[in-house]
Amino acid sequence: MDRVSLCLCFILGTIYLSNSVGDEDIRCTTSSCSSATCDDIPEKCTRNITNPGTYMLSPDICNCCEYCLANLDENEACSVGDPSNGKHTSICGPGLSCLTVDGETDGTCQKMTTTCMNEQKSYDGRKKNGTLGQMETKPSCDEDGLYSAYKCIPGEICYCTASNGSRIFGQADYSTMSNYMNCDCSKKYYAGVDMIGRELGPHEHFRCSSNGDYDKLQCINEKCLCVDTSDGAPTYPTKSLVNITKISTDTLSCYTSKKVGEYYKTCESKYMDVYKKVQEYKAQGYNQVIGYEYPNCDLDGTYAPVQQNKTHKYCVDIEGNILTAVSKSSSGTLATSMNCKCIRSNLMSSTVDKPACLENGNYNPIQCRRGFCRCVDTDGNQYCVSGVCEYDESKKNTMKCTK
Ligand SMILES: *[C@@H]1O[C@H](CO)[C@@H](O)[C@H](O)[C@H]1NC(C)=O
Ligand SMILES: *[C@@H]1O[C@H](CO)[C@@H](O)[C@H](O)[C@H]1NC(C)=O
Ligand SMILES: *[C@@H]1O[C@H](CO)[C@@H](O)[C@H](O)[C@H]1NC(C)=O
Ligand SMILES: *[C@@H]1O[C@H](CO)[C@@H](O)[C@H](O)[C@H]1NC(C)=O
Ligand SMILES: *[C@@H]1O[C@H](CO)[C@@H](O)[C@H](O)[C@H]1NC(C)=O
């Protein structure tokens, strides 16, 4: 087994394990708790305020007691003592971390200074002094001060982000997004890539859906199962896996196609054909197999936005139909910078005021709407230049969009 399949088994294995944790431990019955003596939970947890604390399983063997870690406010005293110590009753609240002097374990809760938190601060400041762009959104940070799962461009799309804020696979129409996408599938993929050090083929990773969550049907090493779309855990963990040639509405509850055994989407299917041919040649002892090109597939099995052949780079839709093409020998950066993000976003978003795209499918750095123009980055987010956010459309030619 190579490292990748080991890694996949590891991921699948942990899912099965975490699923069986819910089983009741035979040592713990309802009567085990009758004699338990419990400490009071922190007063803060019982008060009716937002973000009082986090209720958790208590650290005693049978989880008899109510247990709550109270959230501390800014400047409150905290301790970074042994985190496995079951006697912990409080932690610094969201966006705060326990700041101590070198070598000390006691300190105070202070605002984190992560890039995301700093960006929030800057947003709030600029909102106060009126230098905020109309289409800017406040970055949302998680409890550790890192970027949360996704970012939205108002009226256009929402897209998944890695914890460092960079855009990763997964997007949804702004107006139809059911205010929830957790992008876990997409995030796990990139974590896997960081660990293994190369990109993974469709047969090597969990398949995502277009919004970065898990596809409810998964086949790995030709064995298939149904999973929860938000965390990828098997929906029926006790059922045995189904051979990929036998998947149907009878064998898997999450299967929807009328045809039996249909798992791979067009791009994945092409990829797997090439993959199998290459494996055959390798089995015959050829180390270098030339003449076969893998299509560039996305994490949901559809065609990735940017494809290329020997002479051209081109943007395609999810079925692989060409939307726009530029010659690789064209002067300038049209081909090298091609990302197709604008043209793809416009296909998905239902907005009437669609952003303007360049010839290579990228966002035009200057976007105009209803008489005003603004600068946007390569993902389509507005930014301001020296405190100026909106320009009158008549001044369009004098605009300089550089970050
Ligand atoms: C908590 O407070 C809110 C408003 O202050 C009130 O509507 C709600 O009923 C309270 N909940 C409880 C459990 O007391
Ligand atoms: C507005 O606030 C931001 C963030 O606090 C600051 O960087 C900027 O210089 C301020 N601009 C003006 C015009 O005061
Ligand atoms: C951000 O995270 C992604 C996903 O882990 C990684 O691929 C990328 O290189 C990171 N970007 C930077 C600037 O660190
Ligand atoms: C799935 O079934 C096919 C044909 O029935 C068989 O050739 C193949 O070995 C099976 N695959 C697995 C992984 O069991
Ligand atoms: C590459 O793709 C472009 C755009 O579809 C096409 O015009 C060109 O003929 C293709 N070149 C080769 C060598 O396949």
Side-chain angles (χ1 to χ4, degrees):
M1 229 193 281
D2 59 19
R3 269 173 76 195
V4 178
S5 40
L6 267 175
C7 163
L8 283 170
C9 292
F10 170 74
I11 295 170
L12 282 171
T14 52
I15 284 169
Y16 287 116
L17 280 178
S18 63
N19 249 269
S20 56
V21 165
D23 292 345
E24 254 195 293
D25 191 315
I26 45 163
R27 286 169 302 170
C28 294
T29 59
T30 17
S31 59
S32 323
C33 284
S34 53
S35 59
T37 48
C38 298
D39 293 333
D40 289 339
I41 64 168
E43 190 230 326
K44 205 168 184 177
C45 285
T46 61
R47 257 189 283 149
N48 184 4
I49 46 171
T50 46
N51 276 327
T54 314
Y55 280 88
M56 302 166 73
L57 284 176
S58 64
D60 61 284
I61 287 178
C62 293
N63 317 123
C64 292
C65 299
E66 254 201 299
Y67 183 61
C68 177
L69 277 176
N71 280 338
L72 296 170
D73 294 322
E74 193 172 357
N75 298 324
E76 276 193 279
C78 56
S79 164
V80 291
D82 177 12
S84 61
N85 173 359
K87 287 288 174 229
H88 262 282
T89 54
S90 60
I91 48 169
C92 293
L96 302 173
S97 66
C98 196
L99 199 75
T100 59
V101 189
D102 267 352
E104 300 280 327
T105 53
D106 293 334
T108 54
C109 293
Q110 297 299 333
K111 278 219 171 74
M112 289 180 196
T113 50
T114 60
T115 321
C116 187
M117 303 294 287
N118 286 341
E119 253 192 65
Q120 281 190 334
K121 222 182 192 170
S122 155
Y123 180 97
D124 290 338
R126 292 183 302 117
K127 190 171 174 186
K128 268 200 197 109
N129 67 19
T131 56
L132 197 62
Q134 288 172 6
M135 298 276 281
E136 280 189 85
T137 50
K138 184 168 174 168
S140 113
C141 312
D142 66 16
E143 291 192 355
D144 298 323
L146 303 174
Y147 289 88
S148 19
Y150 62 85
K151 181 172 176 64
C152 295
I153 304 173
E156 295 175 21
I157 54 156
C158 297
Y159 62 80
C160 296
T161 54
S163 57
N164 62 15
S166 70
R167 183 170 179 173
I168 55 174
F169 172 81
Q171 61 175 7
D173 182 9
Y174 183 80
S175 64
T176 59
M177 196 194 80
S178 51
N179 69 42
Y180 181 73
M181 53 198 255
N182 71 18
C183 301
D184 197 46
C185 181
S186 185
K187 289 184 126 175
K188 288 271 161 61
Y189 171 84
Y190 293 98
V193 167
D194 285 347
M195 195 164 82
I196 293 166
R198 65 166 175 86
E199 294 195 0
L200 306 176
H203 57 299
E204 297 175 313
H205 63 80
F206 274 98
R207 185 158 80 185
C208 304
S209 50
S210 60
N211 69 357
D213 291 353
Y214 293 89
D215 191 330
K216 58 187 193 290
L217 174 61
Q218 299 286 341
C219 295
I220 291 174
N221 290 333
E222 309 207 315
K223 301 276 197 186
C224 307
L225 74 167
C226 298
V227 304
D228 186 287
T229 56
S230 63
D231 64 6
T235 338
Y236 302 100
T238 52
K239 281 203 169 168
S240 53
L241 304 172
V242 179
N243 186 312
I244 196 166
T245 59
K246 306 247 161 53
I247 53 174
S248 71
T249 46
D250 293 332
T251 55
L252 283 175
S253 60
C254 59
Y255 194 76
T256 48
S257 168
K258 288 211 171 63
K259 264 172 75 182
V260 173
E262 204 171 54
Y263 177 67
Y264 292 121
K265 301 187 184 168
T266 325
C267 187
E268 278 174 314
S269 179
K270 289 248 164 65
Y271 184 102
M272 291 309 291
D273 288 347
V274 175
Y275 175 75
K276 281 183 186 143
K277 288 240 169 62
V278 170
Q279 293 305 306
E280 275 168 30
Y281 280 116
K282 281 198 177 151
Q284 290 167 19
Y286 298 99
N287 271 332
Q288 280 278 318
V289 186
I290 49 167
Y292 287 104
E293 290 271 351
Y294 285 101
N296 185 9
C297 302
D298 250 340
L299 302 190
D300 61 353
T302 64
Y303 282 90
V306 186
Q307 304 285 330
Q308 59 179 313
N309 61 19
K310 287 209 169 58
T311 57
H312 289 74
K313 272 179 113 174
Y314 43 96
C315 299
V316 297
D317 65 13
I318 57 172
E319 297 293 338
N321 304 306
I322 295 178
L323 302 167
T324 182
V326 295
S327 162
K328 282 184 180 171
S329 59
S330 68
S331 60
T333 58
L334 270 187
T336 50
S337 68
M338 180 177 231
N339 63 35
C340 310
K341 283 174 180 167
C342 178
I343 205 165
R344 267 298 190 87
S345 154
N346 283 358
L347 280 187
M348 162 165 282
S349 119
S350 55
T351 179
V352 192
D353 295 312
K354 298 223 194 264
C357 305
L358 299 173
E359 196 188 329
N360 61 359
N362 293 9
Y363 281 95
N364 188 324
I366 300 177
Q367 295 288 335
C368 299
R369 180 174 172 264
R370 302 179 187 171
F372 290 99
C373 299
R374 63 185 190 278
C375 297
V376 302
D377 66 16
T378 53
D379 290 317
N381 299 295
Q382 175 175 20
Y383 64 91
C384 306
V385 183
S386 324
V388 183
C389 304
E390 268 88 27
Y391 300 77
D392 201 89
E393 195 155 4
S394 61
K395 303 226 174 65
K396 188 177 170 184
N397 293 335
T398 66
M399 281 175 73
K400 286 206 172 51
C401 291
T402 43
K403 233 180 166 175

